Amino acid sequence: MSDPNPAHFRQVLGQYPTGVAVVTALDESGAPLGMTVGSFTSVSLDPPLVAFLPDQGSSSWRALRASGDRFCVNVLGADQEDVCRAIAVRKVDKFAGIPWRPSPAGNPVIDGAVAYLDCTTEQVHDAGDHHIVVGRVHQLDLVGGDQPLLFFRGGYGSFTPLSLASGDSDLLDHLRLVDLARPQMDRLAARFDTEVTAIALVRDELVLAAAAGRTRLAVAPTRVGQRLPFMPPLGSCFAGWGDDAVRAAWVGGLSDLVDPDTRDAVRAVPGLVRRRGYSIALGHGDGARLETLSTRFHEGDAQVSKAALREAIAQSVSGYNPASYGAGPVELRSLSAPVFANDGRVAFTLTLWGPPGAIDAAEVDRHVEELLAATGAATIAIDGRVPLDAAIA
């Protein structure tokens, strides 16, 4: 079998995005050296090893190799394409106009880099027209808050994870915790072939902060980034494990949108949800109508005002948290359960979206069991503390 055409090889491999790093060192006179690489990778945790793959014919690599066995890997930030190109193209004065400071080992750390890793060369292997350089990591740190620079299909760009898609600074603390729970979200979504949504309470809004999987009930391509008022029937887990002020704010969100009897019934919901350990929503038709209206509102549809959205939310109260859902088939729209922070408060909730059609009570119970197992594991993953009366599988 013949080898592939080099141009075709490059085109196909270009479908795989890579990070962009600059490997730096100092020459014998103390001047900075550098080369841009798109082949940096982690190798081992114990011992801590990384690697990069320079072209054997690269003059930059020859200069780095001649400088000794110490080097530093700089992971470039999303806004550092100019740094990447300058280091890659310049033959002399590569660092002209590029500020840097010494790492703990004295190697250049480029200002604005996302992270650095101080290394010494362990091994250099021949690999065709490249070398495989394996380095042992001695010092490393995160030094920037930006997203990393990526190379993909011949161009440079960046990537925002789904959990950062809402992009709001007031969500950062929540998102750091949500990302730790990503494996539990992925497993739960795969278990039922549906979507799992992480929802955070930020001041007086519920923010759909992250999602895993995809539900067949979806109205919009993604819910991530939507913000909804913290009011019944939404967000009942936050009210269930919240203090008196949180519960009052939640019930007060209904204001005069419902009659007094409905408000009285809603006041009992946080206690019910806390005893159960989860919140439940039934009815695909009403759920789809509310989701459609919410999507239109967040897309800027002038015909859907915030007041109209609040009224639609209030009208959906009857579909949430019934005293019992019986033994017969029900349309399970969603289940939500809390993930707890280390202070015992709700850090965020996970919402498991149900299947199309109706399912029996035993199947609902199976969904509940799996959801509580996932939120329990997520609480552990974020070093949270479960209140003594919380339902955790």
Side-chain angles (χ1 to χ4, degrees):
M1 182 179 294
S2 61
D3 291 337
N5 176 278
H8 186 55
F9 183 87
R10 184 184 297 272
Q11 179 188 26
V12 172
L13 269 294
Q15 307 309 301
Y16 180 70
T18 62
V20 184
V22 171
V23 180
T24 63
L26 297 176
D27 66 15
E28 60 183 8
S29 70
L33 301 170
M35 70 176 297
T36 299
V37 299
S39 55
F40 173 67
T41 183
S42 62
V43 175
S44 168
L45 289 175
D46 186 15
L49 300 176
V50 296
F52 65 97
L53 284 66
D55 188 323
Q56 290 193 24
S58 165
S59 59
S60 296
W61 165 231
R62 288 197 297 270
L64 281 168
R65 193 172 189 184
S67 72
D69 65 353
R70 296 193 306 178
F71 65 89
C72 182
V73 178
N74 291 254
V75 179
L76 295 186
D79 61 349
Q80 292 188 298
E81 181 180 346
D82 57 337
V83 174
C84 164
R85 293 187 182 276
I87 300 293
V89 172
R90 293 174 184 167
K91 299 300 182 182
V92 295
D93 295 329
K94 285 178 176 285
F95 284 79
I98 299 175
W100 60 275
R101 63 188 184 281
S103 70
N107 297 306
V109 175
I110 298 170
D111 286 1
V114 173
Y116 77 85
L117 302 92
D118 255 338
C119 309
T120 55
T121 303
E122 285 272 303
Q123 297 171 321
V124 178
H125 304 279
D126 286 336
D129 56 5
H130 281 60
H131 281 137
I132 301 174
V133 182
V134 179
R136 180 183 286 260
V137 180
H138 298 285
Q139 299 275 352
L140 74 168
D141 205 356
L142 302 173
V143 290
D146 200 359
Q147 298 299 311
L149 182 66
L150 297 184
F151 184 76
F152 179 56
R153 292 183 177 177
Y156 294 94
S158 63
F159 168 70
T160 301
L162 283 176
S163 59
L164 295 179
S166 53
D168 298 283
S169 60
D170 57 2
L171 268 178
L172 290 180
D173 289 340
H174 296 87
L175 293 176
R176 292 188 186 100
L177 296 179
V178 170
D179 280 342
L180 294 174
R182 172 68 63 175
Q184 287 75 34
M185 294 174 63
D186 289 337
R187 281 194 288 269
L188 185 60
R191 178 74 178 83
F192 291 104
D193 188 23
T194 188
E195 179 179 314
V196 175
T197 308
I199 301 175
L201 176 60
V202 181
R203 293 187 294 276
D204 61 348
E205 290 183 312
L206 298 167
V207 185
L208 282 66
R214 175 71 171 163
T215 173
R216 288 166 286 173
L217 300 176
V219 171
T222 180
R223 301 178 177 89
V224 173
Q226 290 192 14
R227 290 175 176 252
L228 295 166
F230 179 52
M231 59 177 287
L234 308 180
S236 57
C237 287
F238 293 100
W241 280 272
D243 57 22
D244 290 343
V246 172
R247 293 191 184 202
W250 184 70
V251 174
L254 284 177
S255 62
D256 57 353
L257 295 174
V258 296
D259 58 70
D261 289 343
T262 301
R263 281 199 298 274
D264 288 343
V266 163
R267 289 190 180 94
V269 168
L272 172 65
V273 169
R274 185 160 180 151
R275 289 191 299 273
R276 282 178 172 168
Y278 63 91
S279 169
I280 184 171
L282 303 177
H284 294 320
D286 290 343
R289 282 189 289 273
L290 177 57
E291 187 179 343
T292 298
L293 199 65
S294 174
T295 299
R296 289 174 56 194
F297 174 77
H298 287 92
E299 289 177 347
D301 188 333
Q303 296 183 334
V304 182
S305 66
K306 188 172 184 178
L309 177 61
R310 293 179 65 87
E311 185 174 349
I313 293 171
Q315 290 174 351
S316 67
V317 165
S318 62
Y320 284 72
N321 298 308
S324 171
Y325 45 82
V330 295
E331 292 181 342
L332 176 62
R333 186 68 182 177
S334 65
L335 293 164
S336 299
V339 176
F340 296 100
N342 56 19
D343 60 1
R345 292 186 295 181
V346 179
F348 55 91
T349 62
L350 295 185
T351 294
L352 172 64
W353 295 88
I359 58 176
D360 61 26
E363 185 64 11
V364 174
D365 291 342
R366 189 168 72 91
H367 280 69
V368 169
E369 180 180 358
E370 296 282 354
L371 172 62
L372 294 181
T375 53
T379 295
I380 294 171
I382 68 170
D383 291 327
R385 179 176 62 82
V386 180
L388 292 178
D389 61 346
I392 290 291

